[in-house]
Amino acid sequence: MTSRPDEAEDTPVAERDVVIRVDGVHKRFGRLEVVKGVDLDLHKGEVVVVFGRSGSGKSTLLRCINFLEDPTEGTIEAAGVRLSGGYRTRRKREQIRQLRLRVGMVFQQFNLFPHMTALENVRAAPICAGIADNRTHAMDLLEQVGLADKADEHPIRLSGGQQQRVAIARALAMQPDAMLFDEPTSALDPELIGEVLAVMKALATELHMPMIVVTHEMGFAREVADRALFFHEGVVWEEGRPAEVFGSPQRPETKKFLDAVL
Amino acid sequence: MTETDARPGPSAGAWARVSGWVRAVGAWVVRTNRRTPFRVKVALVWVAIFALLAFFFWIAQFDNQWMLDNFTYIAKGLQYTLYIALGGILLAIVLAMLGALGRISSNPIAYGISGFYVSFFRGTPLIVQMFLIYLALPQVGINLHDQFPDLFPQTLANQLVLDAAVAGTLALGLNYGAYMTEIFRAGIQSVAAGQGEAADALGMTYRQKMRRVVLPQAFRVIIPPTGNEFIAMLKDTALVSFLGVAVANAEIFRRSQLVGKADFQNLEALLVAAALYWGLTIVFTFFQRRLESRVSRGYVRTSDRLAASSEAQAHGGGGGGVG
């Protein structure tokens, strides 16, 4: 993921495999600083789980990555471009759009388009991007999330778990390089969480989709994630393999949080 | 009781009979009242009002024959009333759409222009706007031609001299468009923020986001009040009469004034006009109701969904906001 191809030879393998690079990102809302300097590399096929208290800045960071929030400082590098926040020129708007096409996002509240059927939801992005013959692919994606039979239903007629699975299919429709999940199961009834996590797990283990997942599902994190990041007061407070971070947290804040959650 | 017994006159038995009747009638009224459906009672109220109106009508000694004779002439104004209202509402919808997009825009030019537009056209009376467009616009043309005869030839200046009906339609469209800008803006802003974010996250352009995601949802909110505005506008077309529309294409009110004054039957003419406007409104209210129920049909399970989402929020607890 270097900007100049001639450098690629000298770059270490791990470096070349970076799909998303978050570099020194800060986010301030007025005088409130929510993200206070975060560096994060997401590598090919890697699953990173981010957890932490509400208000610790984890969702904001995720939203900064695809510029739903404008980073106050720092840069995001993905899909071959390195972008910073600030005034959006026409060129920059287009670059941000290209980045978003390469990075799928799944929201806590699903945010499916209520006036479109499941299939139309999945096809929305490819149609807008001018991709012809997207119907088959969209059906394949619905099949993949186990909802081919619900293709013609409107979101209102689907359960929360089904809606979130359609939302995942929708985010996959542009064949992104990476996926961002913003608390994908937090709005779901307990009995519906499993089906969404199963889809995400399949995405990670079978398709090796790189993903950053903000979640409190520790079971999913242990089983699927390569790295776990504990967010505290706008920074990465502790990071490591999920088993290590959950099993023997090094810092008291991490331990305190885990004790409260588990 | 004892007092009644003591008094001479009707016997105790007669009193008992009377009070028995009163009680029976009272009981019948109460029973019938309970049994009669609400709609029937409302209908009775309407019948009573119409009876009263008919009574006034009768004692006023109106010239019914004159009204019948001139009905067709006044009713011919219906088509011009409809032309003006349709032209006005179409212009208003276009302006309201542009105005609303301006009001939510971060572009200072768009925001400034739409802000001025809404402020001016909501801040001055419709009748004043009509006269300004009818009388002031030609003057602007003349002034421009006087100052810059080469840049602004007479032919162009002549374009600003508008037919009264055209000027009236323009004024109606501009005025209603300003009010409807707020309706449209509220409709667009009623679409959940997550919808726009989802569209952004899918890499849609602003235009695609608006056309495919935001506006289709906003229209559910926008259409019913727009129908309302149209019905209101139907009656404000009467103001165009003050600009003095040519007899050949005069609308209802203008026609009623013309024949009313000519025959000294002003009240009769006004009554015919009122009846026509009322009838027109009733017809369009019927259509508007149908449109309204049609528009809301897609969201039948709305209440379930609201319950589900509030439940979800309770579950999500700490998740939202800056989490």
Side-chain angles (χ1 to χ4, degrees):
Chain A
M1 181 87 1
T2 45
S3 42
R4 282 174 294 169
D6 54 318
E7 261 185 14
E9 285 296 305
D10 310 326
T11 326
V13 177
E15 191 74 354
R16 259 191 282 163
D17 281 351
V18 172
V19 188
I20 294 175
R21 167 161 289 170
V22 177
D23 194 4
V25 163
H26 291 248
K27 176 63 189 175
R28 278 184 286 272
F29 293 101
R31 288 164 69 186
L32 178 72
E33 189 166 21
V34 180
V35 178
K36 301 171 182 170
V38 171
D39 303 311
L40 169 62
D41 283 354
L42 181 71
H43 301 87
K44 271 187 184 156
E46 190 184 28
V47 176
V48 173
V49 157
V50 180
F51 66 107
R53 268 181 37 215
S54 139
S56 60
K58 51 196 194 318
S59 279
T60 306
L61 175 73
L62 211 62
R63 292 163 58 82
C64 280
I65 292 176
N66 70 354
F67 287 84
L68 287 181
E69 302 288 356
D70 211 42
T72 317
E73 265 177 59
T75 57
I76 308 291
E77 195 176 330
V81 283
R82 189 184 168 91
L83 293 167
S84 54
Y87 183 75
R88 290 184 188 178
T89 58
R90 187 181 287 264
R91 186 178 127 85
K92 189 154 146 195
R93 274 207 302 273
E94 184 53 28
Q95 285 176 325
I96 288 175
R97 203 172 72 82
Q98 292 303 327
L99 181 149
R100 286 165 171 169
L101 287 169
R102 309 294 345 132
V103 179
M105 176 127 181
V106 174
F107 299 88
Q108 182 180 0
Q109 298 293 346
F110 332 134
N111 295 348
L112 287 183
F113 306 133
H115 56 299
M116 301 182 189
T117 63
L119 183 64
E120 286 166 349
N121 264 280
V122 179
R123 293 179 67 191
I127 287 173
C128 285
I131 297 172
D133 303 330
N134 50 58
R135 195 192 160 85
T136 329
H137 183 229
M139 276 309 291
D140 287 347
L141 287 169
L142 282 176
E143 183 85 57
Q144 205 174 310
V145 299
L147 288 171
D149 56 326
K150 301 284 185 189
D152 296 324
E153 296 283 9
H154 280 83
I156 202 99
R157 313 244 309 155
L158 303 176
S159 74
Q162 291 169 334
Q163 288 192 46
Q164 192 62 299
R165 286 189 281 154
V166 173
I168 293 172
R170 180 177 72 172
L172 288 170
M174 291 307 297
Q175 297 174 300
D177 302 334
M179 292 274 283
L180 308 173
F181 290 86
D182 187 6
E183 304 205 34
T185 57
S186 299
L188 295 173
D189 287 338
E191 78 272 18
L192 302 176
I193 290 175
E195 61 190 65
V196 172
L197 291 180
V199 167
M200 289 166 63
K201 190 181 164 190
L203 204 57
T205 55
E206 289 164 28
L207 300 176
H208 307 290
M209 174 66 75
M211 52 175 88
I212 302 176
V213 187
V214 172
T215 187
H216 292 155
E217 292 297 326
M218 298 306 169
F220 172 82
R222 269 177 204 275
E223 211 178 328
V224 182
D226 302 293
R227 254 194 304 162
L229 267 57
F230 176 64
F231 247 66
H232 186 65
E233 294 186 344
V235 294
V236 179
W237 201 254
E238 185 165 350
E239 127 170 55
R241 301 202 67 81
E244 293 162 11
V245 176
F246 299 152
S248 50
Q250 297 302 303
R251 304 184 74 166
E253 292 80 4
T254 318
K255 190 172 175 345
K256 201 176 150 200
F257 178 81
L258 286 169
D259 286 345
V261 173
L262 295 176
Chain B
M1 249 341 219
T2 43
E3 210 176 311
T4 339
D5 289 339
R7 209 188 294 163
S11 68
W15 274 113
R17 233 179 301 141
V18 169
S19 79
W21 289 338
V22 168
R23 254 182 241 167
V25 169
W28 179 81
V29 167
V30 168
R31 231 181 312 127
T32 322
N33 185 28
R34 274 194 202 136
R35 255 193 256 144
T36 316
F38 180 76
R39 296 169 67 120
V40 174
K41 290 181 200 164
V42 174
L44 283 173
V45 171
W46 277 71
V47 167
I49 293 172
F50 272 104
L52 194 66
L53 285 177
F55 173 70
F56 287 138
F57 207 85
W58 177 63
I59 59 171
Q61 302 279 324
F62 286 125
D63 188 342
N64 295 328
Q65 194 53 47
W66 185 91
M67 285 159 80
L68 280 175
D69 291 345
N70 290 279
F71 182 82
T72 1
Y73 176 76
I74 299 178
K76 266 188 193 151
L78 268 176
Q79 64 167 309
Y80 298 104
T81 294
L82 278 174
Y83 285 162
I84 294 169
L86 283 174
I89 201 75
L90 286 179
L91 178 63
I93 287 171
V94 172
L95 288 171
M97 193 71 248
L98 294 174
L101 290 176
R103 292 309 283 166
I104 58 171
S105 169
S106 54
N107 180 325
I109 298 171
Y111 188 84
I113 291 175
S114 61
F116 168 80
Y117 167 62
V118 172
S119 175
F120 179 79
F121 282 96
R122 290 210 308 182
T124 51
L126 175 54
I127 187 73
V128 173
Q129 291 161 17
M130 281 189 179
F131 276 111
L132 279 179
I133 290 171
Y134 190 50
L135 300 175
L137 222 49
Q139 193 59 48
V140 171
I142 292 165
N143 294 345
L144 279 173
H145 178 65
D146 285 350
Q147 295 296 320
F148 317 101
D150 302 330
L151 276 174
F152 206 83
Q154 186 63 47
T155 46
L156 208 56
N158 289 342
Q159 295 292 311
L160 292 178
V161 183
L162 300 174
D163 175 66
V166 174
T169 310
L170 266 180
L172 279 169
L174 284 162
N175 183 276
Y176 274 70
Y179 282 96
M180 284 161 57
T181 290
E182 292 301 303
I183 295 175
F184 278 47
R185 182 192 54 74
I188 291 171
Q189 287 180 338
S190 75
V191 178
Q195 292 291 311
E197 285 185 353
D200 282 339
L202 287 172
M204 290 190 194
T205 61
Y206 178 79
R207 208 178 266 262
Q208 289 167 337
K209 172 172 78 170
M210 278 296 161
R211 202 173 79 80
R212 290 178 182 273
V213 176
V214 177
L215 292 181
Q217 296 182 62
F219 279 135
R220 287 174 186 280
V221 181
I222 291 170
I223 285 173
T226 298
N228 236 357
E229 293 292 310
F230 177 67
I231 289 167
M233 188 187 275
L234 277 175
K235 288 155 290 160
D236 276 350
T237 53
L239 291 174
V240 180
S241 297
F242 289 112
L243 303 181
V245 189
V247 182
N249 52 8
E251 41 64 65
I252 297 172
F253 184 60
R254 175 87 170 139
R255 279 167 184 267
S256 78
Q257 293 261 290
L258 286 170
V259 286
K261 276 185 186 140
D263 294 351
F264 296 105
Q265 306 277 18
N266 286 309
L267 277 179
E268 280 87 344
L270 279 176
L271 281 172
V272 172
L276 284 167
Y277 280 117
W278 198 3
L280 203 58
T281 310
I282 288 169
V283 169
F284 279 99
T285 305
F286 171 77
F287 285 123
Q288 199 237 352
R289 292 247 170 91
R290 295 219 356 199
L291 190 69
E292 208 172 315
S293 61
R294 219 190 138 107
V295 159
S296 60
R297 201 189 294 159
Y299 279 178
V300 181
R301 284 189 58 194
T302 305
S303 54
D304 295 27
R305 206 165 76 108
L306 284 178
S309 75
S310 63
E311 209 176 293
Q313 269 170 4
H315 279 292
V322 238

